[in-house]
């Protein structure tokens, strides 16, 4: 008691407990800065990483970056935690998958197809898939449907933006660009729930779930001076005068841009009528590619492939993208024993349905590139430079598919960079010195080096060309539910976007957002108190969400912000597999 | 002759106090020598080196800490003098290009953020204020490490230097009116 010994022992024991096995230890070493681009969504924001030794410890935006303008969303800020995600795949049957694909290619009958499904087209890896499918007999390159038929948007040119369910203020486009342009346009949000975008809009129109097309058709009729389609206004839940006023505002305060998901194809013709066509909406520009790549297979939609025709399907789910419900894909596979190979970070997406799920590197381990985002009228090219090496056992989808097709794609990124340099157009922005230089002034080696150090190429002198005409079959059609009787399935499903197709969110973010209920988790559903009482469930109850396509276990959140008669669910792959765009459902105690 | 009981008590108390005050520090710390027999004094007096010549700040303001072998090799590419220590350093580290594994006396635990440039450049503190007369010593002390916590003995303070415990930091900050928040150091 009267010596330092017992007190020191108490202190030392406390300090010793900080060093027990399993307790994370911060990295130590020299503090360095590196630049890369975020791969978590198509925006591809510039990232400044703070590294201690070789360990990234903090990610932040690059303020002077001409595309992302310094912004980084909460998911991007925590991207360096993704390699430690508990659901991450560590190994997979690569050799068996390779043999199965080779067998399927060899045995592919004339009416059958070998297909690659690319959830994020426009990348250099996408070109590799297209080249591979051109090299394979009966190869077909499939893409997920793109909002606005793949057109690009110039928000700075819009005076009014009507968003039919598009999450404009919560992950749509490039966050920094959207925030910078926001002061210049009036935002009208039409969607069933008061989302964050709805709450940040100048006007929120509460429409009924699944009535986006009806609203678009009503607006088209109004703008063309025709009579409003019968029942269309009633279907939206808005009054005819409200729709007429909205059409009037779009006509008066133009260019008025209409944004919508791929479930509202009428958004493109609507943009013609509002004057946005060619001004605020235009064809998406793409960075130059080597001439030898141009013999690649063209992009095709899933609907253009006959049912029962895909012998082998390879799905690149390594980068988060739009999830196509499995019930739209499964009928396209040959009956019997189709080969389905998925490249993914976890088994929670298509891996649940595939024979072979191969582990893919996650951001910030992966190497790849980001094409121009939806809100970038000019072509762009940025590289995801890995901040940490990928663990052994990871499979690069582009290398795997190129190898299966017998083509060499090992230097594809470099070839693309050389093609851009050869074109001699545009400027290169470098993050470290915050300078833009004309590409013409750079040597190919310097251009490549700068790209790998976080540089961003942007095309110069872009022209507002009208979007290309619609490609037939680019829209998937979910299998129509057999019957959706309101008496059996009393609730309308409202899907809330989740970041990434398969919930690729930092485990820390998942905890903060989902356990605190700030954002619906993958297996949570929100109900109005009256609806919850009618279903016999309460806050936190474990229940089943039933639709005509199946059922999923959920945990209930009771929220007065959800209108009666609706159930709000996070659009995770598991939920999307049982809920179409306009599903009805019921919630029952499990 | 019967020994009075209080003498047993007194003896036991003295033994316990001796063990606690004198014996305990010998038991709780393990010592290990530094890899190189380095003299701050020789470098300061003969080479005219100042602290920041070797313990430099990087361009971005971060503190480089103990210099790496590159820095030493700038002068010691060939032996400078004929001492055994110099020979050992050249043969053991410079020639095979092997980085000496220095034990850092003042290494703070992982949960502490400490900015040298804030204290030295902005606060005008001398190196000696925390590190004592280390820069004038002719020989590096053995590194003493707490067997249980793994901390350096210098954190607790030695005869040569004041400690670098949180209380020591707080005392100094309080004295200079820079008592802001926990997050200054525990980020």
């Amino acid at each position: 008691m009267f010596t330092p010994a017992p007190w020191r022992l108490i202190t030392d024991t406390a300090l010793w407990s900080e060093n027990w096995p399993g307790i994370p230890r911060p990295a130590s070493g020299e503090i360095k800065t590196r630049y890369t681009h975020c791969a978590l969504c198509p925006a591809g924001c510039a990232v400044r990483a703070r590294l201690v030794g070789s360990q990234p410890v903090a990610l932040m935006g690059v303020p002077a970056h001409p595309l992302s303008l310094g912004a980084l969303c909460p998911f991007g800020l925590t991207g360096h935690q993704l390699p430690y995600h508990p659901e991450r795949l560590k190994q997979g049957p690569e050799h068996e998958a390779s043999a199965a694909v080779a067998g399927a290619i060899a045995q592919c009958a004339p009416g059958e197809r070998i297909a690659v499904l690319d959830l994020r087209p426009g990348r250099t890896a996408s070109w590799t898939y297209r080249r591979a499918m051109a090299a394979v007999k009966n190869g077909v390159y499939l893409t997920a449907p793109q909002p606005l038929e793949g057109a690009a948007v110039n928000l700075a040119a819009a005076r009014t933006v009507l968003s039919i369910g598009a999450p404009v203020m919560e992950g749509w486009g490039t966050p920094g660009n959207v925030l910078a342009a926001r002061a210049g346009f009036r935002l009208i949000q039409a969607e069933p729930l008061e989302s964050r975008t709805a709450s940040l809009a100048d006007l929120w129109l509460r429409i009924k779930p699944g009535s986006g097309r009806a609203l678009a058709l009503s607006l088209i009729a109004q703008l063309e001076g025709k009579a409003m389609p019968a029942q269309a206004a009633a279907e939206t839940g808005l009054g005819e005068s409200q729709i007429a006023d909205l059409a009037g505002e779009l006509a008066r305060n133009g260019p008025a841009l209409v944004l919508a998901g791929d479930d509202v194809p009428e958004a493109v013709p609507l943009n013609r009528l509002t004057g946005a066509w060619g001004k605020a909406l235009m064809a998406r520009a793409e960075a130059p590619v080597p001439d030898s790549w141009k013999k690649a297979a063209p992009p095709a939609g899933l609907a253009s492939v006959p049912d029962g025709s895909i012998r082998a399907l390879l799905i690149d789910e390594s980068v988060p993208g739009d999830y196509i419900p499995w019930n739209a894909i499964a009928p396209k596979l040959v009956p019997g024993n189709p080969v389905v190979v998925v490249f993914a970070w976890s088994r929670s997406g298509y891996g649940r349905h595939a024979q072979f799920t191969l582990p893919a590197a996650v951001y910030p381990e992966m190497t790849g590139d980001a094409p121009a985002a939806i809100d970038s009228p000019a072509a762009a090219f940025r590289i995801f430079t890995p901040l940490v090496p990928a663990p052994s056992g990871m499979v690069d989808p582009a290398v795997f598919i190129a190898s299966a097709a017998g083509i060499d794609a090992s230097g594809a990124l470099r070839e693309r960079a050389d093609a851009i340099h050869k074109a001699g157009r545009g400027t290169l922005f470098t993050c470290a010195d915050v300078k833009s230089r004309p590409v013409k002034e750079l040597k190919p080696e310097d251009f490549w080096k700068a790209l790998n150090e976080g540089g961003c190429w942007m095309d110069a002198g872009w022209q507002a060309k009208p979007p290309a005409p619609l490609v037939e079959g680019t829209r998937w059609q979910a299998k129509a539910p057999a019957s959706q009787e309101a008496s059996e399935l009393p609730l309308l499903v409202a899907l809330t976007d989740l970041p990434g197709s398969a919930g690729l969110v930092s485990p820390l973010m998942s905890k903060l957002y989902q356990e605190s209920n700030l954002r619906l988790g993958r297996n949570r559903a929100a109900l109005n108190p009256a609806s919850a009482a009618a279903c016999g469930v309460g806050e936190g109850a474990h229940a089943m969400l039933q639709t005509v396509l199946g059922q999923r276990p959920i945990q209930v959140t009771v929220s007065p912000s959800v209108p009666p008669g609706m159930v709000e669910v996070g659009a995770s792959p598991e939920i999307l597999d049982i809920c179409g765009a306009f599903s009805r459902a019921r919630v029952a105690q499990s | 002759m019967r020994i009075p009981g209080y003498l047993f008590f007194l003896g036991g108390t003295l033994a316990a106090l001796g063990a606690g005050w004198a014996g305990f520090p010998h038991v709780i710390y393990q010592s290990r020598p530094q890899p190189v027999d380095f003299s701050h004094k020789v470098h300061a007096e003969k080479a005219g080196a100042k602290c920041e010549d070797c313990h430099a700040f990087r361009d971005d303001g971060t503190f480089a800490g103990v210099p790496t072998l590159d820095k030493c090799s700038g002068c010691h590419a060939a032996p400078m003098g004929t001492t055994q220590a110099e020979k050992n350093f050249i043969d053991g580290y410079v020639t095979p290009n092997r980085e000496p594994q220095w034990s850092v006396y003042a290494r703070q635990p992982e949960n502490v953020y400490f900015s040298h440039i804030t204290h030295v450049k902005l606060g005008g503190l001398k190196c000696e204020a925390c590190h004592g007369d280390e820069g004038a010593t002719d020989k590096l002390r053995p590194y003493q490490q707490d067997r249980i916590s793994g901390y350096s003995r210098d954190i607790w303070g030695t005869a040569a230097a004041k400690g670098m415990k949180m209380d020591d930091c707080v005392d100094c900050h309080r004295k200079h009116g820079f008592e802001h928040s926990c997050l200054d150091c525990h980020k």
Side-chain angles (χ1 to χ4, degrees), chain A residues 75 194 196 496 498 508-527 538-542 554-562 568-570:
Chain A
F75 305 104
E194 191 178 6
R196 286 161 184 78
T496 300
L498 294 177
L508 179 64
M509 288 290 289
S510 308
K511 196 167 182 64
L512 289 175
Y513 267 62
Q514 293 168 8
E515 291 186 12
S516 57
N517 246 350
L518 287 172
R519 193 180 184 104
L520 279 181
R522 279 161 57 185
N523 292 317
R524 286 196 91 106
L527 287 165
E539 175 69 32
H542 292 273
I554 52 161
Q555 195 172 3
V556 173
T557 295
V558 178
S559 168
S561 69
V562 181
E568 183 189 5
V569 285

Short mmCIF file of all heavy atoms in Angstrom, two decimals, chain A residues 75 194 196 496 498 508-527 538-542 554-562 568-570:
data_model
loop_
_atom_site.label_atom_id
_atom_site.label_comp_id
_atom_site.label_asym_id
_atom_site.label_seq_id
_atom_site.Cartn_x
_atom_site.Cartn_y
_atom_site.Cartn_z
N PHE A 75 -20.46 6.31 -47.29
CA PHE A 75 -20.00 4.97 -47.64
C PHE A 75 -18.58 5.01 -48.19
O PHE A 75 -17.77 4.14 -47.91
CB PHE A 75 -20.97 4.31 -48.62
CG PHE A 75 -22.37 4.31 -48.10
CD1 PHE A 75 -23.32 5.19 -48.59
CD2 PHE A 75 -22.74 3.47 -47.07
CE1 PHE A 75 -24.60 5.22 -48.07
CE2 PHE A 75 -24.02 3.49 -46.54
CZ PHE A 75 -24.95 4.37 -47.05
N GLU A 194 -41.52 9.70 -47.91
CA GLU A 194 -40.74 10.91 -47.71
C GLU A 194 -39.28 10.53 -47.50
O GLU A 194 -38.79 10.43 -46.38
CB GLU A 194 -41.26 11.71 -46.51
CG GLU A 194 -40.64 13.09 -46.44
CD GLU A 194 -41.18 13.91 -45.28
OE1 GLU A 194 -41.94 13.36 -44.47
OE2 GLU A 194 -40.82 15.09 -45.19
N ARG A 196 -35.07 10.92 -48.08
CA ARG A 196 -34.20 12.06 -47.82
C ARG A 196 -34.25 13.04 -48.97
O ARG A 196 -34.22 14.26 -48.77
CB ARG A 196 -32.77 11.56 -47.57
CG ARG A 196 -32.61 10.91 -46.22
CD ARG A 196 -31.36 10.01 -46.16
NE ARG A 196 -31.28 9.32 -44.90
CZ ARG A 196 -32.01 8.25 -44.59
NH1 ARG A 196 -32.85 7.75 -45.47
NH2 ARG A 196 -31.87 7.66 -43.41
N THR A 496 -36.66 0.80 -50.83
CA THR A 496 -35.69 1.86 -50.54
C THR A 496 -34.33 1.41 -51.03
O THR A 496 -33.89 0.31 -50.72
CB THR A 496 -35.61 2.10 -49.01
OG1 THR A 496 -36.90 2.47 -48.56
CG2 THR A 496 -34.63 3.20 -48.68
N LEU A 498 -30.61 0.63 -51.41
CA LEU A 498 -29.48 0.39 -50.51
C LEU A 498 -28.22 0.63 -51.31
O LEU A 498 -28.19 0.41 -52.50
CB LEU A 498 -29.49 -1.06 -50.01
CG LEU A 498 -30.65 -1.46 -49.10
CD1 LEU A 498 -30.55 -2.91 -48.76
CD2 LEU A 498 -30.64 -0.63 -47.84
N LEU A 508 -18.83 -1.07 -39.95
CA LEU A 508 -19.07 -0.03 -38.95
C LEU A 508 -20.30 0.79 -39.33
O LEU A 508 -21.15 1.09 -38.49
CB LEU A 508 -17.84 0.88 -38.85
CG LEU A 508 -17.95 2.04 -37.87
CD1 LEU A 508 -18.08 1.54 -36.46
CD2 LEU A 508 -16.75 2.96 -37.99
N MET A 509 -20.42 1.12 -40.61
CA MET A 509 -21.58 1.87 -41.07
C MET A 509 -22.86 1.07 -40.88
O MET A 509 -23.90 1.60 -40.50
CB MET A 509 -21.43 2.19 -42.56
CG MET A 509 -20.41 3.24 -42.84
SD MET A 509 -20.96 4.84 -42.28
CE MET A 509 -22.23 5.16 -43.47
N SER A 510 -22.77 -0.23 -41.16
CA SER A 510 -23.95 -1.09 -40.98
C SER A 510 -24.43 -0.99 -39.55
O SER A 510 -25.62 -0.91 -39.27
CB SER A 510 -23.62 -2.55 -41.29
OG SER A 510 -23.02 -2.63 -42.54
N LYS A 511 -23.47 -0.98 -38.64
CA LYS A 511 -23.83 -0.96 -37.22
C LYS A 511 -24.47 0.39 -36.86
O LYS A 511 -25.53 0.44 -36.26
CB LYS A 511 -22.56 -1.19 -36.40
CG LYS A 511 -22.81 -1.56 -34.98
CD LYS A 511 -21.54 -2.08 -34.34
CE LYS A 511 -21.80 -2.50 -32.91
NZ LYS A 511 -22.72 -3.62 -32.80
N LEU A 512 -23.82 1.46 -37.30
CA LEU A 512 -24.33 2.78 -36.95
C LEU A 512 -25.69 3.05 -37.58
O LEU A 512 -26.60 3.53 -36.94
CB LEU A 512 -23.35 3.86 -37.39
CG LEU A 512 -22.05 3.94 -36.63
CD1 LEU A 512 -21.14 4.98 -37.26
CD2 LEU A 512 -22.30 4.31 -35.18
N TYR A 513 -25.81 2.72 -38.87
CA TYR A 513 -27.02 3.07 -39.60
C TYR A 513 -28.16 2.11 -39.30
O TYR A 513 -29.29 2.51 -39.15
CB TYR A 513 -26.73 3.04 -41.11
CG TYR A 513 -26.34 4.39 -41.64
CD1 TYR A 513 -25.20 5.02 -41.18
CD2 TYR A 513 -27.11 5.04 -42.58
CE1 TYR A 513 -24.83 6.26 -41.66
CE2 TYR A 513 -26.76 6.28 -43.06
CZ TYR A 513 -25.62 6.89 -42.60
OH TYR A 513 -25.26 8.12 -43.06
N GLN A 514 -27.85 0.84 -39.26
CA GLN A 514 -28.93 -0.13 -39.23
C GLN A 514 -29.37 -0.48 -37.81
O GLN A 514 -30.55 -0.55 -37.53
CB GLN A 514 -28.53 -1.37 -40.01
CG GLN A 514 -28.42 -1.00 -41.48
CD GLN A 514 -27.76 -2.05 -42.32
OE1 GLN A 514 -27.49 -3.14 -41.85
NE2 GLN A 514 -27.50 -1.75 -43.57
N GLU A 515 -28.39 -0.65 -36.93
CA GLU A 515 -28.81 -0.99 -35.57
C GLU A 515 -29.47 0.21 -34.90
O GLU A 515 -30.30 0.07 -34.03
CB GLU A 515 -27.61 -1.49 -34.76
CG GLU A 515 -27.13 -2.84 -35.26
CD GLU A 515 -26.03 -3.42 -34.40
OE1 GLU A 515 -25.79 -2.90 -33.30
OE2 GLU A 515 -25.41 -4.40 -34.85
N SER A 516 -29.09 1.41 -35.34
CA SER A 516 -29.74 2.59 -34.78
C SER A 516 -30.98 2.96 -35.59
O SER A 516 -31.63 3.95 -35.29
CB SER A 516 -28.77 3.75 -34.78
OG SER A 516 -28.31 3.99 -36.09
N ASN A 517 -31.23 2.19 -36.65
CA ASN A 517 -32.43 2.38 -37.47
C ASN A 517 -32.44 3.70 -38.24
O ASN A 517 -33.51 4.18 -38.62
CB ASN A 517 -33.70 2.28 -36.62
CG ASN A 517 -34.50 1.07 -37.02
OD1 ASN A 517 -34.20 0.44 -38.03
ND2 ASN A 517 -35.51 0.75 -36.26
N LEU A 518 -31.28 4.30 -38.43
CA LEU A 518 -31.23 5.50 -39.24
C LEU A 518 -31.51 5.18 -40.70
O LEU A 518 -31.96 6.00 -41.45
CB LEU A 518 -29.86 6.18 -39.12
CG LEU A 518 -29.60 6.87 -37.80
CD1 LEU A 518 -28.16 7.32 -37.72
CD2 LEU A 518 -30.52 8.06 -37.64
N ARG A 519 -31.19 3.96 -41.08
CA ARG A 519 -31.41 3.53 -42.45
C ARG A 519 -31.89 2.09 -42.38
O ARG A 519 -31.36 1.31 -41.60
CB ARG A 519 -30.08 3.61 -43.20
CG ARG A 519 -30.21 3.50 -44.67
CD ARG A 519 -28.84 3.60 -45.31
NE ARG A 519 -29.00 3.59 -46.75
CZ ARG A 519 -28.90 4.65 -47.51
NH1 ARG A 519 -28.62 5.81 -47.00
NH2 ARG A 519 -29.07 4.57 -48.81
N LEU A 520 -32.85 1.75 -43.19
CA LEU A 520 -33.36 0.39 -43.13
C LEU A 520 -32.26 -0.60 -43.48
O LEU A 520 -31.57 -0.43 -44.48
CB LEU A 520 -34.51 0.21 -44.11
CG LEU A 520 -35.88 0.71 -43.66
CD1 LEU A 520 -36.90 0.44 -44.74
CD2 LEU A 520 -36.30 0.03 -42.37
N GLY A 521 -32.13 -1.61 -42.69
CA GLY A 521 -31.15 -2.64 -42.96
C GLY A 521 -31.65 -3.60 -44.02
O GLY A 521 -32.76 -3.46 -44.55
N ARG A 522 -30.83 -4.59 -44.30
CA ARG A 522 -31.16 -5.51 -45.40
C ARG A 522 -32.37 -6.35 -45.10
O ARG A 522 -33.06 -6.79 -46.00
CB ARG A 522 -29.95 -6.40 -45.69
CG ARG A 522 -28.94 -5.69 -46.55
CD ARG A 522 -27.60 -6.32 -46.46
NE ARG A 522 -27.61 -7.72 -46.82
CZ ARG A 522 -26.55 -8.50 -46.72
NH1 ARG A 522 -25.43 -8.01 -46.28
NH2 ARG A 522 -26.61 -9.76 -47.06
N ASN A 523 -32.62 -6.62 -43.86
CA ASN A 523 -33.75 -7.49 -43.54
C ASN A 523 -34.74 -6.77 -42.63
O ASN A 523 -35.37 -7.38 -41.79
CB ASN A 523 -33.25 -8.77 -42.87
CG ASN A 523 -32.48 -9.61 -43.86
OD1 ASN A 523 -32.90 -9.76 -45.01
ND2 ASN A 523 -31.34 -10.12 -43.45
N ARG A 524 -34.86 -5.47 -42.81
CA ARG A 524 -35.82 -4.73 -41.99
C ARG A 524 -36.92 -4.17 -42.87
O ARG A 524 -36.69 -3.81 -44.02
CB ARG A 524 -35.12 -3.59 -41.25
CG ARG A 524 -34.27 -4.06 -40.09
CD ARG A 524 -33.92 -2.90 -39.19
NE ARG A 524 -34.90 -2.75 -38.13
CZ ARG A 524 -34.68 -3.08 -36.86
NH1 ARG A 524 -33.52 -3.58 -36.52
NH2 ARG A 524 -35.60 -2.90 -35.95
N ALA A 525 -38.09 -4.11 -42.32
CA ALA A 525 -39.23 -3.54 -43.04
C ALA A 525 -39.93 -2.56 -42.12
O ALA A 525 -40.05 -2.80 -40.92
CB ALA A 525 -40.19 -4.64 -43.46
N ALA A 526 -40.36 -1.44 -42.68
CA ALA A 526 -41.03 -0.41 -41.89
C ALA A 526 -42.51 -0.39 -42.22
O ALA A 526 -42.90 -0.45 -43.40
CB ALA A 526 -40.40 0.95 -42.15
N LEU A 527 -43.32 -0.31 -41.18
CA LEU A 527 -44.78 -0.31 -41.33
C LEU A 527 -45.36 0.84 -40.54
O LEU A 527 -44.84 1.22 -39.48
CB LEU A 527 -45.38 -1.61 -40.79
CG LEU A 527 -45.20 -2.90 -41.59
CD1 LEU A 527 -45.53 -4.09 -40.70
CD2 LEU A 527 -46.09 -2.89 -42.80
N GLY A 538 -45.32 -5.92 -33.88
CA GLY A 538 -44.91 -4.70 -33.18
C GLY A 538 -43.48 -4.36 -33.51
O GLY A 538 -42.82 -5.06 -34.29
N GLU A 539 -42.99 -3.31 -32.88
CA GLU A 539 -41.62 -2.86 -33.09
C GLU A 539 -40.62 -3.96 -32.75
O GLU A 539 -40.70 -4.58 -31.68
CB GLU A 539 -41.36 -1.62 -32.21
CG GLU A 539 -39.94 -1.10 -32.21
CD GLU A 539 -39.54 -0.48 -33.54
OE1 GLU A 539 -40.40 0.08 -34.22
OE2 GLU A 539 -38.34 -0.60 -33.89
N GLY A 540 -39.72 -4.24 -33.67
CA GLY A 540 -38.69 -5.24 -33.42
C GLY A 540 -39.13 -6.68 -33.62
O GLY A 540 -38.33 -7.60 -33.44
N ALA A 541 -40.41 -6.87 -34.00
CA ALA A 541 -40.91 -8.24 -34.15
C ALA A 541 -40.24 -8.93 -35.33
O ALA A 541 -39.95 -8.30 -36.36
CB ALA A 541 -42.42 -8.21 -34.35
N HIS A 542 -40.01 -10.22 -35.20
CA HIS A 542 -39.50 -11.02 -36.31
C HIS A 542 -40.70 -11.55 -37.07
O HIS A 542 -41.59 -12.17 -36.48
CB HIS A 542 -38.61 -12.14 -35.80
CG HIS A 542 -37.33 -11.62 -35.22
ND1 HIS A 542 -36.21 -11.38 -35.98
CD2 HIS A 542 -37.02 -11.25 -33.95
CE1 HIS A 542 -35.26 -10.89 -35.20
NE2 HIS A 542 -35.72 -10.81 -33.96
N ILE A 554 -38.03 -11.01 -41.94
CA ILE A 554 -37.71 -9.59 -41.75
C ILE A 554 -37.86 -9.24 -40.28
O ILE A 554 -38.47 -10.00 -39.51
CB ILE A 554 -38.64 -8.67 -42.57
CG1 ILE A 554 -40.12 -9.03 -42.29
CG2 ILE A 554 -38.33 -8.71 -44.04
CD1 ILE A 554 -41.09 -7.95 -42.67
N GLN A 555 -37.32 -8.10 -39.93
CA GLN A 555 -37.57 -7.55 -38.60
C GLN A 555 -38.34 -6.24 -38.80
O GLN A 555 -38.00 -5.44 -39.68
CB GLN A 555 -36.26 -7.30 -37.86
CG GLN A 555 -36.48 -7.08 -36.38
CD GLN A 555 -35.16 -7.03 -35.61
OE1 GLN A 555 -34.08 -7.10 -36.18
NE2 GLN A 555 -35.25 -6.88 -34.31
N VAL A 556 -39.36 -6.05 -38.00
CA VAL A 556 -40.29 -4.95 -38.23
C VAL A 556 -39.85 -3.70 -37.49
O VAL A 556 -39.42 -3.75 -36.34
CB VAL A 556 -41.71 -5.37 -37.77
CG1 VAL A 556 -42.68 -4.18 -37.85
CG2 VAL A 556 -42.21 -6.53 -38.61
N THR A 557 -39.95 -2.58 -38.20
CA THR A 557 -39.79 -1.26 -37.60
C THR A 557 -41.12 -0.54 -37.77
O THR A 557 -41.66 -0.53 -38.88
CB THR A 557 -38.69 -0.47 -38.32
OG1 THR A 557 -37.46 -1.13 -38.12
CG2 THR A 557 -38.59 0.95 -37.80
N VAL A 558 -41.64 0.00 -36.69
CA VAL A 558 -42.91 0.72 -36.79
C VAL A 558 -42.60 2.20 -36.91
O VAL A 558 -41.89 2.77 -36.08
CB VAL A 558 -43.80 0.44 -35.56
CG1 VAL A 558 -45.10 1.23 -35.64
CG2 VAL A 558 -44.10 -1.05 -35.45
N SER A 559 -43.10 2.80 -38.00
CA SER A 559 -42.77 4.20 -38.26
C SER A 559 -43.99 4.93 -38.82
O SER A 559 -44.54 4.51 -39.84
CB SER A 559 -41.62 4.27 -39.26
OG SER A 559 -41.47 5.59 -39.72
N PRO A 560 -44.37 6.02 -38.19
CA PRO A 560 -45.52 6.77 -38.72
C PRO A 560 -45.22 7.44 -40.06
O PRO A 560 -46.14 7.90 -40.74
CB PRO A 560 -45.78 7.82 -37.64
CG PRO A 560 -44.73 7.69 -36.62
CD PRO A 560 -43.82 6.57 -36.97
N SER A 561 -43.93 7.49 -40.45
CA SER A 561 -43.60 8.13 -41.74
C SER A 561 -44.02 7.26 -42.92
O SER A 561 -44.07 7.73 -44.05
CB SER A 561 -42.11 8.42 -41.82
OG SER A 561 -41.38 7.22 -41.92
N VAL A 562 -44.31 5.99 -42.67
CA VAL A 562 -44.77 5.11 -43.75
C VAL A 562 -46.29 5.22 -43.82
O VAL A 562 -46.96 5.05 -42.80
CB VAL A 562 -44.34 3.64 -43.50
CG1 VAL A 562 -44.79 2.74 -44.63
CG2 VAL A 562 -42.84 3.55 -43.30
N GLU A 568 -42.34 -0.54 -46.26
CA GLU A 568 -41.08 -0.06 -46.84
C GLU A 568 -39.99 -1.07 -46.54
O GLU A 568 -39.80 -1.45 -45.37
CB GLU A 568 -40.72 1.30 -46.23
CG GLU A 568 -39.46 1.89 -46.84
CD GLU A 568 -38.99 3.14 -46.09
OE1 GLU A 568 -39.59 3.46 -45.05
OE2 GLU A 568 -38.01 3.74 -46.55
N VAL A 569 -39.31 -1.50 -47.57
CA VAL A 569 -38.23 -2.48 -47.37
C VAL A 569 -36.98 -2.03 -48.10
O VAL A 569 -37.05 -1.36 -49.13
CB VAL A 569 -38.63 -3.90 -47.86
CG1 VAL A 569 -39.58 -4.57 -46.91
CG2 VAL A 569 -39.23 -3.85 -49.24
N GLY A 570 -35.85 -2.37 -47.54
CA GLY A 570 -34.57 -2.08 -48.18
C GLY A 570 -34.40 -3.00 -49.39
O GLY A 570 -34.67 -4.19 -49.31
#
